[in-house]
Amino acid sequence: MLCVQQAVIHKATPEQVFAMMCHDLGKVPCWNERGNLHGHEAAGVPVVEALCDRFKVPNSFRKMALAVTEFHGKVHSVQEVRPATLFDLYVKMGGAKDLEFFKKVVECSKFDAWGRGPTKEGRDYPQEKYFLGVVKSLVDNRQEISTLATEIAEKWKGKPDMVREQIRAMKIGFIKAKMRELRNEE
């Protein structure tokens, strides 16, 4: 409930508040099965799905709750991952399709960090700035990315797997450069 309280205090959307209510539901099954909480994010996804099905939760609430449940732990450690892993996380979280939704999921990870007790509340959450900063490089360079993607598609015409692989590698290159820049600022 401390996480929910943080979401409410910081004027989160109703979908985000619901997500904060659900995001740790995987802890009980993990504890019962293994005696620890490792993997509670993945274990929570079917629990949240069942809850949403049972109570016919609207799709926007379901989508947010499932994303926050699955990814909040990964966002906490985003500064420790390789560029390809960060890119894949961004895509899986829906950032490539809906940047605002992605930002709200990342913000929920901050509420989770702040909800760990009074000494954690309002603390700097560098993961948010870092992740959004890295992703911003894709947004800021979308015209160049589009031009390069067209060139890649022409070069590898008739080989769609190679086109996808090369475009992914090119985008990861932008991420890698931004990660290096952000780390040098620290």
Side-chain angles (χ1 to χ4, degrees):
M1 291 312 293
L2 292 171
C3 298
V4 172
Q5 183 180 19
Q6 289 302 312
V8 171
I9 288 169
H10 295 282
K11 300 184 180 5
T13 66
E15 289 87 350
Q16 286 176 299
V17 173
F18 178 71
M20 297 316 299
M21 290 171 53
C22 299
H23 80 285
D24 277 342
L25 291 177
K27 285 185 173 180
V28 171
C30 278
W31 187 261
N32 290 342
E33 289 174 22
R34 299 187 287 273
N36 63 50
L37 303 177
H38 301 296
H40 76 278
E41 298 90 349
V45 170
V47 177
V48 173
E49 285 177 335
L51 175 85
C52 291
D53 288 344
R54 171 72 176 90
F55 293 103
K56 304 204 182 330
V57 172
N59 286 337
S60 62
F61 286 76
R62 171 193 286 268
K63 181 180 174 187
M64 180 67 66
L66 289 169
V68 173
T69 299
E70 183 174 357
F71 299 117
H72 71 278
K74 290 183 180 1
V75 174
H76 292 324
S77 61
V78 76
Q79 292 174 290
E80 302 158 19
V81 300
R82 295 183 348 242
T85 303
L86 189 141
F87 176 75
D88 292 342
L89 180 59
Y90 162 72
V91 171
K92 287 177 190 170
M93 290 174 66
K97 293 182 180 176
D98 188 344
L99 189 58
E100 289 309 308
F101 174 81
F102 168 78
K103 288 177 181 179
K104 288 177 180 166
V105 173
V106 172
E107 185 177 37
C108 284
S109 296
K110 177 175 65 180
F111 299 148
D112 178 50
W114 287 355
R116 293 180 181 170
T119 61
K120 305 292 184 184
E121 184 178 338
R123 279 193 167 177
D124 187 36
Y125 187 68
Q127 297 91 327
E128 180 181 39
K129 181 181 176 189
Y130 183 81
F131 205 178
L132 297 180
V134 169
V135 165
K136 189 175 182 308
S137 70
L138 294 176
V139 174
D140 290 348
N141 293 295
R142 74 176 148 244
Q143 186 61 46
E144 184 178 354
I145 289 169
S146 177
T147 301
L148 291 170
T150 301
E151 291 171 9
I152 290 168
E154 288 173 10
K155 179 178 179 180
W156 296 100
K157 191 173 185 171
K159 297 183 178 183
D161 290 342
M162 186 58 81
V163 170
R164 274 190 297 280
E165 182 182 316
Q166 292 296 313
I167 289 174
R168 179 178 181 275
M170 177 259 298
K171 290 178 179 178
I172 290 169
F174 278 92
I175 285 176
K176 189 176 198 175
K178 188 63 175 184
M179 288 172 79
R180 198 175 310 118
E181 177 187 322
L182 289 172
R183 287 183 178 145
N184 288 336
E185 289 176 7
E186 293 175 353

